[in-house]
Amino acid sequence: MAVTLDIADLRARKERPVSTLAAPAEVVNLAAVKGDGLGCHAGKDAMRAAAEAAGLSETLDRYAKDYPAGPHDQPQSMCPAFGSLRVGLRMRRTATILSGSACCVYGLTFTSHFYGAKRSVGYVPFNSETLVTGKLFEDIREAVFQVADPADYDAVVVINLCVPTASGVPLRLLPKQIDGVRIIGIDVPGFGVPTHAEAKDVLAGAMLKFARTEAEQGPVQAPRTGRDGRPTVTLLGEMFPADPVVIGGLLEPLGLAAGPVVPTREWRELYAALDCAAVAAIHPFYTAAIREFEAAGRPVVGSAPVGREGTADWLDRIGEACAVPRATVEAAKNRVLPAIGGALAANPIAGRITLSGYEGSELLVGRLLVESGADLRYVGTACPRTPWSEADRDWLEARGVAVRFRASLEDDLSALAEFRPGLAIGTTPVVQAAKSMAIPALYFTNLISARPLMGVAGAGSLAKVVNAALGNRGRFDAMRTFFDGVGEGHAAGIWEDVPKRRQAVASAVRGKPVHDPIGEMA
């Protein structure tokens, strides 16, 4: 059950003198919140104009550069702030406080608990008066002081949603730390961050910047499990839990070890992530995080060890980035590539497929499907094109696969109609559309991305579920025949009178009479 904490709850839980809370140095820009520019219903352009009037131009310009929307605006997606919320909720000793409209906070809290969050989400409520007078900022500041107990937390994350961002609520004025607890304030508006995947990068990048500054100033905490004596490769992007282990096995012959996965699970892992020989951008859209690694002087390698060719190319580039002798890299490839090739050959996929999603790993899955023998025609991803996705894009396009960055639902449905695949892998609306066309379909997030993709483990992981779905075409044809006409034409809408008896299609399908109580009533 989702639990939200308002200011009164926080005050009751923490005994901290309110007299220590100073008034903010500035308040909300009143001109920016007049009229519809304040409400969610005002639209993205009005909200953006209000945010710029309130002094958020620099933040919005950085987001526009980091997360370019593309030629057709941003793709359809859930609230982007869910990505940042998810990152904070998965970290030990980290509290998260939301500032936004109550309906938005309810939806985000519900979604976070649906996806397994087991801790409370803080919420600072507001109304028009507290928003325009600056009292909301004071309430946020008070909430932060009430929560920031070093016995409980290493960091407190405060996330401005659309309305506080558009109104210019100045989270930058929050203290950087309270009794040793770091305070991270970020704006994650739907009109500035295109997808929830990129919102993960907003918080991950902000935390890495804070941790890098701390490391530059002096000694920091070691990882909970200690330091590996070998040079490490930090893994950038959420992935199936077995994949970092598999990647560690691939790196071992090179004399390297797998470092932390960013976003990390606790604050001290950020230091270990920065203390690496190279960064593997498994998900290539973490632009802010990559900026922090490059500021720390760490080389970044795109793509991932998926399939035989993908693994060979990735090991080459990791070896180059970490100055591993060429002979050592070749020996490592000779050790692992035959096993990957054998796993692919033993688990072939035969059938035409279209693929789309919003997680950021779509191109990697596409490569694995092609190496498994699939006739892949289209890959759509809600994420943007970046320098670290170029190798995967080039590889797929060289094999006749159409790749679409910032893909909209219309792009995905157009590919479905054009290629008429034997299987559509995609988002919920794509799956619904495919099944209405009697095309088997799989939801990318739950059924495809939640599987190992790397090395030998990934080589055979997709074949079973994909081949089973491809084999369901006959069942879909039978169901379409059985339900032909239902919900269409005269059979659509609401019956206001008792319908006249019609010849049941089921009798032709099953070869025997069908009991028809509605017809008997007529």
Side-chain angles (χ1 to χ4, degrees):
M1 177 179 179
V3 178
T4 57
L5 307 177
D6 63 15
I7 293 296
D9 295 324
L10 295 171
R11 189 178 292 120
R13 289 178 56 184
K14 301 290 182 183
E15 296 297 331
R16 194 71 62 87
V18 179
S19 60
T20 62
L21 308 180
E26 66 179 73
V27 296
V28 174
N29 184 328
L30 297 182
V33 299
K34 290 182 178 179
D36 280 349
L38 174 62
C40 299
H41 63 283
K44 184 177 71 173
D45 293 339
M47 299 285 277
R48 181 185 296 276
E52 291 175 347
L56 266 292
S57 296
E58 182 179 348
T59 297
L60 294 178
D61 289 346
R62 185 178 72 251
Y63 286 168
K65 182 178 180 180
D66 286 350
Y67 317 116
H72 53 71
D73 197 21
Q74 66 190 76
Q76 299 91 336
S77 173
M78 70 172 73
C79 173
F82 174 65
S84 293
L85 178 61
R86 174 184 173 92
V87 168
L89 289 176
R90 297 182 74 185
M91 291 184 68
R92 298 186 185 95
R93 293 178 51 82
T94 300
T96 303
I97 299 174
L98 295 178
S99 171
S101 299
C103 55
C104 301
V105 172
Y106 170 79
L108 287 167
T109 306
F110 174 86
T111 305
S112 67
H113 286 270
F114 178 81
Y115 278 92
K118 296 181 180 179
R119 70 180 72 168
S120 298
V121 178
Y123 170 45
V124 182
F126 66 89
N127 55 36
S128 297
E129 180 180 355
T130 62
L131 183 66
V132 301
T133 62
K135 183 62 166 60
L136 172 57
F137 177 80
E138 295 180 25
D139 289 345
I140 292 173
R141 193 174 190 275
E142 182 177 356
V144 168
F145 269 89
Q146 297 287 353
V147 171
D149 187 338
D152 297 327
Y153 300 115
D154 294 326
V156 175
V157 177
V158 185
I159 301 174
N160 263 348
L161 305 182
C162 287
V163 172
T165 298
S167 303
V169 176
L171 297 183
R172 62 188 178 278
L173 298 182
L174 291 172
K176 299 302 180 185
Q177 63 174 356
I178 300 171
D179 295 338
V181 179
R182 296 106 175 149
I183 310 301
I184 311 292
I186 56 175
D187 296 283
V188 192
F191 56 84
V193 181
T195 67
H196 82 281
E198 289 155 297
K200 298 175 186 178
D201 178 51
V202 173
L203 182 52
M207 287 185 162
L208 281 167
K209 183 175 183 178
F210 202 117
R212 181 172 62 83
T213 301
E214 291 181 323
E216 290 172 350
Q217 292 174 348
V220 293
Q221 283 182 303
R224 183 183 299 270
T225 56
R227 298 182 61 183
D228 195 300
R230 297 166 293 176
T232 60
V233 176
T234 293
L235 308 179
L236 188 54
E238 291 184 312
M239 63 194 80
F240 187 76
D243 279 337
V245 178
V246 172
I247 291 175
L250 295 173
L251 293 173
E252 189 273 333
L254 302 181
L256 305 172
V261 176
V262 177
T264 62
R265 292 305 181 93
E266 63 179 321
W267 187 269
R268 63 174 65 184
E269 288 182 354
L270 293 165
Y271 307 129
L274 290 162
D275 184 26
C276 64
V279 178
I282 305 297
H283 288 190
F285 58 83
Y286 280 81
T287 307
I290 288 173
R291 181 165 53 243
E292 297 307 318
F293 283 117
E294 290 181 334
R298 309 308 184 207
V300 180
V301 175
S303 193
V306 292
R308 191 181 190 282
E309 291 187 33
T311 301
D313 182 57
W314 188 80
L315 288 173
D316 283 339
R317 287 184 290 122
I318 287 292
E320 181 179 354
C322 297
V324 178
R326 187 66 199 171
T328 302
V329 175
E330 291 299 324
K333 289 163 61 178
N334 291 336
R335 175 178 169 180
V336 301
L337 295 184
I340 295 174
L344 290 169
N347 299 277
I349 296 174
R352 179 177 295 182
I353 298 174
T354 58
L355 168 68
S356 57
Y358 47 67
E359 300 294 337
S361 58
E362 292 76 28
L363 274 65
L364 299 179
V365 173
R367 291 190 63 150
L368 191 53
L369 288 172
V370 171
E371 286 211 42
S372 297
D375 177 19
L376 184 66
R377 296 300 182 91
Y378 168 84
V379 174
T381 176
C383 294
R385 178 176 174 178
T386 71
W388 304 282
S389 62
E390 286 298 276
D392 297 327
R393 181 189 65 85
D394 291 343
W395 190 92
L396 288 167
E397 290 185 344
R399 287 153 182 80
V401 181
V403 178
R404 178 73 171 181
F405 293 98
R406 284 282 187 248
S408 65
L409 175 60
E410 291 76 14
D411 293 327
D412 297 339
L413 296 180
S414 177
L416 188 66
E418 177 181 355
F419 297 116
R420 302 292 298 189
L423 172 66
I425 300 173
T427 59
T428 301
V430 172
V431 168
Q432 291 172 334
K435 290 182 177 179
S436 71
M437 300 166 64
I439 297 174
L442 296 173
Y443 180 37
F444 181 87
T445 298
N446 285 4
L447 297 175
I448 300 299
S449 70
R451 294 175 180 274
L453 299 178
M454 315 300 168
V456 178
S461 67
L462 298 181
K464 185 175 181 179
V465 65
V466 168
N467 285 330
L470 284 166
N472 280 337
R473 186 59 181 261
R475 295 175 61 191
F476 275 86
D477 290 339
M479 286 190 291
R480 186 171 189 175
T481 301
F482 183 84
F483 291 104
D484 186 38
V486 174
E488 301 175 358
H490 75 279
I494 300 174
W495 288 348
E496 297 181 354
D497 299 313
V498 178
K500 299 298 182 181
R501 179 169 182 162
R502 299 176 63 237
Q503 175 65 37
V505 176
S507 61
V509 175
R510 299 183 184 278
K512 59 182 180 179
V514 177
H515 178 56
D516 186 2
I518 294 180
E520 292 173 0
M521 289 171 60

